[in-house]
Amino acid sequence: MTDLDLLKQALEPDKRLVEEPMHTSPQWRGRVFGVDVMDVTQPDGRTGRRELVRHNGGCGVVAVRDDGRMCLVRQWRVALGRMTVEIPAGRIERGEDAADAAARELVEETGLVSTKPLEQVATSYGSPGFTDECTRIFYADQLEQGPARPDDDEFVGVLWADPAAVVQASLDGLVVDAKTIIGAYVATSRQRPC
Amino acid sequence: MTDLDLLKQALEPDKRLVEEPMHTSPQWRGRVFGVDVMDVTQPDGRTGRRELVRHNGGCGVVAVRDDGRMCLVRQWRVALGRMTVEIPAGRIERGEDAADAAARELVEETGLVSTKPLEQVATSYGSPGFTDECTRIFYADQLEQGPARPDDDEFVGVLWADPAAVVQASLDGLVVDAKTIIGAYVATSRQRPC
């Protein structure tokens, strides 16, 4: 059995692990996410209570220039009370295709247009213990620069960095956004296939 | 200026980007997280409303055996309604040191004990747009096997896979947990320094 087969087998539902939903109670609804509490039956028959954040998900783009540098945008993150540098990204609107949303966010935040279809390189759940929020990460290395058209709510600054430096900055705790760390490793592995 | 200096400079607060908190209104409190709504003043002077999930954070361990394989645990994730495979991980208790929590979760989920201090390889915010939930990711490659002592709420199955296969499985959309994707890339880059 290959390792990939082993992983596929491990992802099949297993009654020794599955929790069965019994009752879901909505707790709070906002514009961006909602909160539910779900009562579940655990595999041993006992009852559990799970707190869940429901979110429509997001998308991001690893945009790599001809010189190998990747695009980052400076963000002020209210949730963290600090600046971050992140790959261009945003929320997926209800009903919107993930790749379309990624291309839209890319042009809105940076003015960059991919001249090839975006290639998905990861589906990333940041906190699967409590939320279904999923970030789809795309890769683009055929880019054309157009004008930036920031959203009313977005105030961003673009910079370009060597993916290996972004990886090093994640090891140093400077780059802390999950999708950006993943994107830097993806870009690095493409530049230097081992 | 090196790329690392560029990234450090980009992380300094910039008044063209910073949003100032005005008022925070608690919305909901659970055992695992809480929800706040924060009114902010945007850089252009307008008012914004930010929905935030407050969480104490988590930790995970990239545990690599002498044969180069990394440890994964099968999880049923109620939030996703599916199985996942993830690096050993869990929540950090209030007041608990992140490395201590990671060592505790490692032994609880797998029985593995690191004979060297855990090395932090990433600080990962999974969804910085709406939550301060942070996962600290550690690396351990000096391991001893003891007995597993699962938490009452945890029902896990351990498997070992080649990090390169886990990376491939993330590209294929099979491995979807952010900390596990990051961990697989970290382990791969250590095995095959380019």
Side-chain angles (χ1 to χ4, degrees):
Chain A
M1 189 185 286
T2 67
D3 279 34
L4 218 51
D5 289 335
L6 178 75
L7 291 166
K8 280 180 192 164
Q9 191 182 66
L11 290 167
E12 286 175 14
D14 182 326
K15 64 171 190 259
R16 294 167 300 173
L17 299 164
V18 172
E19 296 183 333
E20 293 292 344
M22 293 192 300
H23 176 73
T24 300
S25 167
Q27 302 288 312
W28 186 82
R29 287 291 174 270
R31 285 183 309 169
V32 178
F33 61 83
V35 175
D36 291 340
V37 163
M38 188 186 284
D39 295 318
V40 299
T41 304
Q42 297 174 177
D44 62 359
R46 289 182 307 152
T47 298
R49 181 178 183 269
R50 303 286 174 253
E51 301 171 0
L52 307 176
V53 172
R54 301 300 192 183
H55 189 287
N56 200 46
C59 55
V61 184
V62 188
V64 177
R65 265 190 335 206
D66 289 348
D67 67 358
R69 287 172 176 266
M70 62 187 284
C71 183
L72 298 171
V73 289
R74 303 173 71 199
Q75 304 268 5
W76 175 260
R77 290 304 193 180
V78 167
L80 318 186
R82 58 169 280 187
M83 302 283 304
T84 60
V85 291
E86 305 181 19
I87 58 172
R91 291 200 296 273
I92 300 174
E93 307 294 337
R94 297 225 167 260
E96 190 178 25
D97 174 76
D100 291 348
R104 175 180 55 71
E105 291 288 347
L106 182 64
V107 73
E108 281 178 4
E109 294 198 341
T110 69
L112 293 168
V113 177
S114 174
T115 59
K116 286 202 313 188
L118 296 178
E119 176 189 356
Q120 190 162 332
V121 289
T123 301
S124 169
Y125 290 88
S127 306
F130 72 91
T131 180
D132 59 3
E133 196 266 354
C134 176
T135 304
R136 290 172 205 283
I137 305 173
F138 296 88
Y139 187 86
D141 61 4
Q142 301 291 317
L143 302 165
E144 283 183 2
Q145 183 70 54
R149 298 178 300 160
D151 274 7
D152 284 350
D153 268 352
E154 284 172 322
F155 307 89
V156 296
V158 171
L159 64 153
W160 295 84
D162 177 31
V166 181
V167 164
Q168 184 58 51
S170 76
L171 292 165
D172 295 346
L174 291 170
V175 168
V176 296
D177 171 55
K179 64 184 170 297
T180 303
I181 299 172
I182 293 170
Y185 277 107
V186 168
T188 308
S189 68
R190 294 212 170 196
Q191 285 185 331
R192 311 186 199 177
C194 300
Chain B
M1 188 185 286
T2 68
D3 279 35
L4 218 52
D5 289 335
L6 179 75
L7 291 166
K8 280 180 192 164
Q9 191 182 67
L11 290 168
E12 286 176 14
D14 182 326
K15 64 172 190 257
R16 294 167 300 174
L17 298 164
V18 172
E19 295 183 333
E20 293 292 344
M22 294 193 299
H23 177 73
T24 300
S25 167
Q27 301 287 312
W28 186 83
R29 286 290 174 271
R31 285 182 309 168
V32 179
F33 60 83
V35 176
D36 290 340
V37 163
M38 188 186 284
D39 295 319
V40 299
T41 305
Q42 298 175 177
D44 63 357
R46 288 183 307 153
T47 298
R49 180 179 184 269
R50 303 286 174 255
E51 301 170 1
L52 306 175
V53 172
R54 300 300 191 183
H55 189 288
N56 200 46
C59 55
V61 184
V62 188
V64 177
R65 264 192 333 207
D66 289 348
D67 67 359
R69 288 173 176 266
M70 63 187 282
C71 183
L72 298 170
V73 288
R74 304 173 72 198
Q75 303 268 6
W76 175 260
R77 289 303 192 180
V78 168
L80 318 186
R82 59 168 280 188
M83 302 284 302
T84 60
V85 290
E86 304 181 19
I87 58 171
R91 291 200 295 274
I92 300 173
E93 307 294 337
R94 296 224 168 260
E96 191 178 24
D97 174 75
D100 291 347
R104 175 180 55 71
E105 291 288 347
L106 182 64
V107 74
E108 282 177 4
E109 294 198 340
T110 69
L112 294 167
V113 177
S114 173
T115 59
K116 285 202 313 186
L118 296 177
E119 176 189 356
Q120 191 163 333
V121 289
T123 301
S124 169
Y125 289 88
S127 307
F130 73 90
T131 180
D132 59 3
E133 196 266 354
C134 176
T135 303
R136 291 172 204 282
I137 305 174
F138 296 87
Y139 186 86
D141 61 4
Q142 302 290 319
L143 303 165
E144 282 182 3
Q145 182 70 54
R149 298 178 300 162
D151 274 7
D152 285 351
D153 268 351
E154 285 173 321
F155 306 89
V156 296
V158 172
L159 64 154
W160 295 85
D162 177 31
V166 181
V167 164
Q168 184 57 52
S170 76
L171 292 165
D172 295 345
L174 291 170
V175 168
V176 295
D177 171 55
K179 64 183 170 296
T180 303
I181 299 172
I182 293 170
Y185 277 107
V186 168
T188 307
S189 68
R190 295 213 170 196
Q191 285 186 330
R192 311 184 200 179
C194 301

